[in-house]
Every structure is written in C-alpha cells, then in structure tokens.
Amino acid sequence: MLKQKLWLSLRERLDCMSLRSGGEDQLAHEQLALNQQEFARQAVTFEDARLNTAFTMRLRELVEFAAPRPEDVCLEVACGTGLVSRELAGHVRHVTALDATPEMLATGKRQADAEGLHRIVFQQGDAARLPFLDDSFSLVLTRFSLHHVASPEAVVRELVRVCRPGGRILVADMVRRPELGGDPDRIERLRDPSHGTMLTVDRITELLADAGARITASEVIDVQRPLAPWLEQAGTPEETARQIERELSEELDGGPVSGMRPVTLDGRLNYTQSWAQLIAIPD
C-alpha cells in the first residue's frame, strides 16, 4: 500500500507540473526518473516468456514492416532489453540499442551475448537527447515508448534528426481511439505509474510532420491480451490489481466504460489495446 501511495504521489506531482509554465525540463527529468525506477524492476520480466508476450507476439511482423536492408545502420530508441534490436541484428549491418535504464540494457546484452549476436551494441541514453550526430542512421525506430515520455514532440524530433536522408523512421506504439470513450490511460497508470498518455495516430502523424518527415506506410490493429499476466509483468500491487480486475469485470456487466474494452476469452478476463506502426521518411 505504501508503494502504491508513493507511485501515486509522484504521478500526481508529474500531472501538476504539466500545468505549470516553464516546468517542462523538470517534468521530463521526473518522468525519466520514474521510467528508470519502474523499468529497473521490470527488466527480468521483459525476458520471461510466460509474461512478455506483449513484446514478442508481433515482433516478426514489426521487423517485416520495417523492411530492413543488409546495408542498414540502425538505432532503436527506448529499446528496453532490445527485443526488436536483437531480431533486427540478423538482417542489417549494425544495430545500436539505446535505453535510459541500465538494468534493461544489462539484461538485453546478456541475452544478446547468449544468442551469439555480434552486430549489436547497447548504450545508455535519453530518448529526448540522443547522443548522436545528425544523419547518423539509415533506420531509426522506437516501440512502446511515446506513451512513457514527458515530451513525445522532443523524442520524435530526435528520431528524425538522427535519420539520414533516404532513411526510414518507424514509430510503433499503442494508441488511443477517442471515439471509443473511457479513459484507458487511467487504468494503464494504475498498472504501471510510468505510463503517461497514449497518443492518437493523427497526433503521431502530426509530430512526424512537424519534425520534418512524412508517412509512407501505416497500420493499426486491435490486440486482445489476458489481464493477469499483464498485471504480473508490471509488478502491480495486489490491491491495485484487484481494483483493475473489478472495474473491468463490472464493465462487462454494464458498468462504466473504462476504455480498456474488456472481453472474456476461454474463461479468462482480457482487455483490448490498439497498436499502430508508422513508417516515415525525412523530407
């Protein structure tokens, strides 16, 4: 309970700071610290096949969508344990897997070494302040990251900045569909306090355009996932997990709309997310 209160206290400070002018840098700093705190705990579960299906279930399709080339020099931003980078490593010249959380990088590097991958390096860094020169990579990608950052505008600008002319930028994330109602971000934050705000596909498209890139391909799919392993993967406190399960069960019985679109499949409570992936090229 104390842990939950601490999480909510920090989340509330972040929400309050977002309303203050001139607080953007401090907001970004606190969000980064919250991300590092949460993902340090989750590093092991990212490689747990029992819990990590959200990260692996469409990995091959994502890489196919990216259309990697043998000559590509790639950067994955906010890579976690580098699941995407490791899948890419066999298709390209080189991959840099960048993340802010040392525990994630250490876990990913151990796995890459165990898999005998030699075209990949792991590097710590901030997605909003990439430690690379302009035009450094031919393929730049990020997955499941924009909803965790204080300034998705800054991250997208950096993705485009480090992409070479003629290169490609891939942004993949869960997205919000406002027409469906409810507040899925609230439930997502209960599960994982580092969750910020899901963007719409239109907003991601706008951010890329503002940063100087145009969309060449996109797709959106709905994904249904079992609730229990999703909560366990994030280490959600038991009391909070029960609250989430209760709210989704009550929605199935006609209660308030959560935005999580719960369904029962094979006797198990599931929820629904919309996942988008977009390819853009620098103008």
Side-chain angles (χ1 to χ4, degrees), residues 6-244:
L6 289 172
W7 281 354
L8 292 176
S9 175
L10 184 49
R11 180 75 254 168
E12 287 163 358
R13 291 205 307 274
L14 289 170
D15 291 341
C16 288
M17 288 183 66
S18 68
L19 300 176
R20 301 175 191 163
S21 61
E24 291 84 359
D25 287 344
Q26 183 65 21
L27 174 62
H29 175 77
E30 293 223 10
Q31 180 68 53
L32 181 61
L34 182 56
N35 288 344
Q36 289 174 316
Q37 170 186 303
E38 288 303 307
F39 288 115
R41 295 188 313 103
Q42 296 180 31
V44 174
T45 65
F46 268 58
E47 296 295 328
D48 186 337
R50 187 175 58 87
L51 301 175
N52 73 351
T53 54
F55 311 123
T56 60
M57 63 188 294
R58 289 188 56 82
L59 187 56
R60 185 168 299 175
E61 290 85 349
L62 179 70
V63 170
E64 289 175 356
F65 188 75
R69 304 164 183 162
E71 68 273 17
D72 274 329
V73 177
C74 303
L75 170 66
E76 184 187 3
V77 175
C79 69
T81 59
L83 285 162
V84 178
S85 290
R86 282 153 35 203
E87 185 72 21
L88 275 172
H91 302 278
V92 299
R93 181 180 176 186
H94 188 268
V95 183
T96 298
L98 179 138
D99 199 87
T101 305
E103 291 84 355
M104 284 284 188
L105 295 168
T107 300
K109 186 178 186 309
R110 282 196 301 271
Q111 190 61 34
D113 290 345
E115 295 171 7
L117 300 176
H118 304 295
R119 298 177 185 174
I120 181 171
V121 297
F122 290 81
Q123 181 170 342
Q124 187 175 6
D126 182 354
R129 296 175 176 83
L130 296 177
F132 306 109
L133 298 177
D134 296 358
D135 307 337
S136 291
F137 301 93
S138 59
L139 176 59
V140 181
L141 63 146
T142 191
R143 181 179 72 148
F144 295 148
S145 69
L146 294 186
H147 66 272
H148 279 291
V149 299
S151 175
E153 298 88 350
V155 173
V156 171
R157 282 196 302 268
E158 285 291 270
L159 300 179
V160 176
R161 179 184 67 80
V162 301
C163 186
R164 296 173 181 170
R168 293 98 66 216
I169 302 118
L170 168 59
V171 175
D173 207 348
M174 52 188 185
V175 293
R176 184 162 187 167
R177 295 175 58 188
E179 73 276 10
L180 296 177
D183 184 7
D185 286 322
R186 182 184 66 83
I187 300 292
E188 295 281 358
R189 289 180 193 133
L190 286 174
R191 170 196 175 253
D192 177 355
S194 71
H195 179 98
T197 302
M198 285 184 282
L199 304 179
T200 64
V201 172
D202 287 346
R203 180 57 178 152
I204 296 173
T205 301
E206 183 180 66
L207 292 179
L208 285 162
D210 289 346
R214 58 182 175 86
I215 303 296
T216 59
S218 65
E219 64 179 31
V220 181
I221 63 166
D222 284 341
V223 178
Q224 293 173 333
R225 298 169 54 193
L227 181 68
W230 177 65
L231 298 172
E232 184 180 351
Q233 186 275 316
T236 306
E238 284 188 23
E239 183 177 341
T240 305
R242 286 195 296 270
Q243 175 187 343
I244 293 171

